[in-house]
Amino acid sequence: DQQVKQNSPSLSVQEGRISILNCDYTNSMFDYFLWYKKYPAEGPTFLISISSIKDKNEDGRFTVFLNKSAKHLSLHIVPSQPGDSAVYFCARANAGGTSYGKLTFGQGTILTVHP
Amino acid sequence: DAGVIQSPRHEVTEMGQEVTLRCKPISGHNSLFWYRQTMMRGLELLIYFNNNVPIDDSGMPEDRFSAKMPNASFSTLKIQPSEPRDSAVYFCASRRQGLTSPLHFGNGTRLTVT
């Protein structure tokens, strides 16, 4: 079973500091990883992604790191802003087999950024 | 771009009733996904379609759940009969076919079964 796990249900950070959200996965070779952000009463929205051939991808304040040996993914937000307060989901898109393109999500981490 | 449109936004029904959730994907998108969000399990994938064909329905909880995609612009998720444990927010999402295409979500249907 190919799983994606976010072991921290919540994270609280002071405005201006760094937020680090973590994700672990199993049984992946060439999959594609994504982060989504969700506000209450809305659907998740795409934030940033990374291919398994890379170990880092950066977009403004958001950087995703991929550690393939540890099967670990992290999202760094710096500096954190109150508007970043939301639920963050990591996700994996299957790159092979009969379930090519299947997108599975972790349980989510609630980020709260205090002014 | 109108985005993914789901209806209804809220549905309250009694146990045993049939529930039908509807989704209109973004035009030009040929992959469609149905997810269920609960506090305990996060975002669970129920089923997804490529070019209107179901590819993986291993996440569908049981035979009470069924999903159809009769054409590229419409999909339904039906629960018959509904049970209180089906209460959750159900999301539909679509994307262009391809691993790197991001998924676009609707705003979800909040289902309450009493």
Side-chain angles (χ1 to χ4, degrees):
Chain A
D1 185 23
Q2 297 179 328
Q3 293 190 359
V4 179
K5 286 188 175 180
Q6 294 175 257
N7 293 315
S8 298
S10 63
L11 175 67
S12 184
V13 170
Q14 201 71 27
E15 181 179 6
R17 307 295 289 267
I18 186 170
S19 296
I20 300 176
L21 299 139
N22 295 301
C23 182
D24 297 305
Y25 60 92
T26 60
N27 302 330
S28 172
M29 285 289 289
F30 302 107
D31 291 343
Y32 193 76
F33 297 93
L34 308 95
W35 283 94
Y36 281 77
K37 174 176 164 179
K38 183 186 180 304
Y39 292 118
E42 295 181 7
T45 55
F46 170 72
L47 194 54
I48 192 169
S49 61
I50 188 165
S51 164
S52 58
I53 63 173
K54 293 187 174 181
D55 53 21
K56 177 182 174 181
N57 189 27
E58 193 172 350
D59 183 3
R61 296 184 298 115
F62 302 92
T63 303
V64 56
F65 295 92
L66 179 62
N67 183 333
K68 289 182 282 296
S69 60
K71 297 190 187 304
H72 181 80
L73 188 68
S74 63
L75 175 68
H76 293 211
I77 307 173
V78 56
S80 303
Q81 300 173 353
D84 296 329
S85 297
V87 181
Y88 289 79
F89 292 95
C90 67
R92 169 164 69 190
N94 284 28
T98 55
S99 293
Y100 177 85
K102 179 177 181 178
L103 199 63
T104 51
F105 285 80
Q107 299 91 327
T109 297
I110 301 170
L111 173 66
T112 304
V113 181
H114 299 282
Chain B
D1 187 346
V4 176
I5 299 172
Q6 290 187 249
S7 63
R9 282 302 305 272
H10 303 274
E11 177 79 37
V12 180
T13 191
E14 291 184 348
M15 183 174 65
Q17 296 297 308
E18 177 180 296
V19 175
T20 299
L21 310 182
R22 296 173 174 79
C23 176
K24 177 178 169 56
I26 292 173
S27 177
H29 285 191
N30 39 22
S31 293
L32 183 140
F33 295 70
W34 283 100
Y35 289 90
R36 175 171 70 176
Q37 184 187 14
T38 61
M39 288 294 293
M40 293 297 295
R41 302 171 73 98
L43 270 171
E44 290 179 272
L45 176 63
L46 301 177
I47 185 172
Y48 76 102
F49 297 82
N50 281 344
N51 295 316
N52 313 338
V53 176
I55 301 301
D56 188 328
D57 66 354
S58 59
M60 295 287 261
E62 46 197 274
D63 291 346
R64 297 184 298 107
F65 285 68
S66 63
K68 293 182 179 180
M69 192 164 185
N71 58 63
S73 58
F74 185 65
S75 178
T76 59
L77 178 68
K78 186 176 292 186
I79 309 172
Q80 166 64 21
S82 56
E83 296 182 4
R85 61 192 167 120
D86 301 331
S87 298
V89 181
Y90 290 79
F91 287 102
C92 175
S94 71
R95 70 174 185 204
R96 296 184 192 282
Q97 203 162 0
L99 201 63
T100 61
S101 298
L103 206 55
H104 296 260
F105 282 80
N107 284 330
T109 294
R110 180 173 293 278
L111 174 64
T112 304
V113 184
T114 60

